[in-house]
């Protein structure tokens, strides 16, 4: 994750005064650290990843960054199996950095999870410039284009595309 993308995530979390954030794709914890820095001091990050070793590494990174253990909840598992168990309208922000082939499904779950005025953010929507290239594209790029179209056409969202890192697609739930 680029420093600009991290700064944008921190700012977006602060903008919605995030107390509850769901993160799809824990990775090494970099995005989670940025989100936690932008969240309220009493906020909790719920992070989902199918790889328990990613979550263990992120747990250590959060601790090394000075965050108390009660600031993050780690749920191992595939996002589309875990997300249905999370509370309806219980989140201020949902950050999606998981399997790009599942982004449209993450959008549907995010709409259920977000409170009105909440924010959904998708990372990597430029797919290294391939999103706008003409010609045949891999399935990942086709799915990203479908996501962009769905967000743009949704009456439930106010979208914006931020040109930081590999692209952040943001949308506020009405």
């Amino acid at each position: 994750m680029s420093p600009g993308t991290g700064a944008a995530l921190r700012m977006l979390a602060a903008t919605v005064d995030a107390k509850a954030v769901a993160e799809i794709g824990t990775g090494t914890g970099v995005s989670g650290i940025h989100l936690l820095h932008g969240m309220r001091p009493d906020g909790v990050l719920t992070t989902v990843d199918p790889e328990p070793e990613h979550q263990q590494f992120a747990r250590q990174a959060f601790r090394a960054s000075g965050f108390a253990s009660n600031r993050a909840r780690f749920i191992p598992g595939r996002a589309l199996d875990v997300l249905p168990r999370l509370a309806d309208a219980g989140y201020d922000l949902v950050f999606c950095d998981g399997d790009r082939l599942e982004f449209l499904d993450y959008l549907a779950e995010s709409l259920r999870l977000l409170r009105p005025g909440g924010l959904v953010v998708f990372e990597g929507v430029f797919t290294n410039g391939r999103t706008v290239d003409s010609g045949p594209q891999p399935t990942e790029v086709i799915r990203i284009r479908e996501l962009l179209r769905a967000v743009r056409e949704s009456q439930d969202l106010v979208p914006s595309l931020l040109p930081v890192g590999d692209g952040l697609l943001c949308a506020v739930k009405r």
Side-chain angles (χ1 to χ4, degrees), residues 93-166:
L93 189 150
V94 177
F95 176 61
C96 305
D97 190 21
D99 184 346
R100 284 174 176 73
L101 296 177
E102 297 180 343
F103 269 15
L104 267 176
D105 297 314
Y106 297 164
L107 175 62
E109 284 296 322
S110 296
L111 290 174
R112 183 187 60 76
L113 294 172
L114 286 171
R115 63 164 171 81
L119 184 64
V120 61
V121 179
F122 292 88
E123 200 280 325
V125 296
F126 291 161
T127 60
N128 298 313
R130 295 179 299 167
T131 303
V132 296
D133 284 346
S134 60
Q137 291 295 332
T139 304
E140 174 184 284
V141 174
I142 293 166
R143 294 285 186 264
I144 294 289
R145 288 177 180 168
E146 291 169 354
L147 170 72
L148 291 165
R149 186 176 312 106
V151 169
R152 183 181 65 239
E153 295 174 356
S154 173
Q155 298 301 309
D156 298 323
L157 297 170
V158 178
S160 182
L161 187 57
L162 301 181
V164 295
D166 197 24

